[in-house]
Amino acid sequence: MSVVRPGEGESIVLGTTRMRVLEDGANTEHRLAVTESVLAPHTPGPPQHRHSQHDEGFYVLSGTVRFTIGEDTCDATAGTFVLVPPGAPHTFANTTGQPAVMLSLFTPDLYVRYFRDLRDAIADGRAPTPQGHLRTMRRYATEPAVGFPEGAGS
């Protein structure tokens, strides 16, 4: 059994997004990872990308998160669940003036290590180069979604 109480869990800060790791896969034989993310107002989100080896689910707890999957856009409010299967180009953003909170599920757990790598690169005081970022994405079976918008809200 694993219990993560309020205020507990590993913290990962990436720009204007604060993430709390609730399950990194260590207790699920790497079948599942779960994070809680707080997106500050007007957070642009990542470039649109595809995962080849994991599903990604998002449950909006509060606020509004704009999801772009391919060319389709959805403004998801509290209580909305969005599932992105492997291969689907996607991104998300908080385009509002209020914080948004969402729970993210990764199956298998692969992507939590990606967030840790980005955090560690930023902690070194230097932003990763585009080539370096691409290498990190590829280590975790992820590619930019060429031919789609670079981010929701842009």
Side-chain angles (χ1 to χ4, degrees):
M1 180 161 116
S2 172
V3 177
V4 180
R5 300 193 187 286
E8 295 179 347
E10 176 185 1
S11 180
I12 298 175
V13 177
L14 299 171
T16 58
T17 299
R18 188 176 72 247
M19 180 181 295
R20 184 167 67 117
V21 178
L22 304 174
E23 172 57 51
D24 67 357
N27 297 297
T28 65
E29 296 180 357
H30 304 286
R31 292 183 308 269
L32 173 71
V34 181
T35 63
E36 175 191 67
S37 296
V38 179
L39 287 80
H42 308 292
T43 295
Q48 202 170 66
H49 57 282
R50 307 172 202 267
H51 307 293
S52 66
Q53 295 181 9
H54 71 271
D55 296 279
E56 193 168 21
F58 303 91
Y59 183 74
V60 180
L61 296 168
S62 65
T64 301
V65 180
R66 176 168 291 164
F67 289 91
T68 303
I69 301 172
E71 296 178 357
D72 297 325
T73 299
C74 168
D75 286 334
T77 56
T80 302
F81 180 71
V82 175
L83 179 65
V84 180
H90 65 285
T91 187
F92 57 86
N94 179 0
T95 62
T96 74
Q98 299 297 317
V101 181
M102 65 182 178
L103 203 60
S104 298
L105 306 141
F106 310 95
T107 177
D109 70 334
L110 187 65
Y111 220 51
V112 171
R113 288 173 276 167
Y114 166 77
F115 297 126
R116 289 174 174 154
D117 282 359
L118 285 184
R119 174 200 57 202
D120 294 347
I122 293 168
D124 288 344
R126 53 184 164 70
T129 66
Q131 297 83 6
H133 194 165
L134 184 59
R135 277 192 305 274
T136 302
M137 289 174 77
R138 287 183 173 154
R139 274 199 309 269
Y140 301 103
T142 301
E143 293 281 341
V146 179
F148 287 93
E150 284 301 307
S154 59

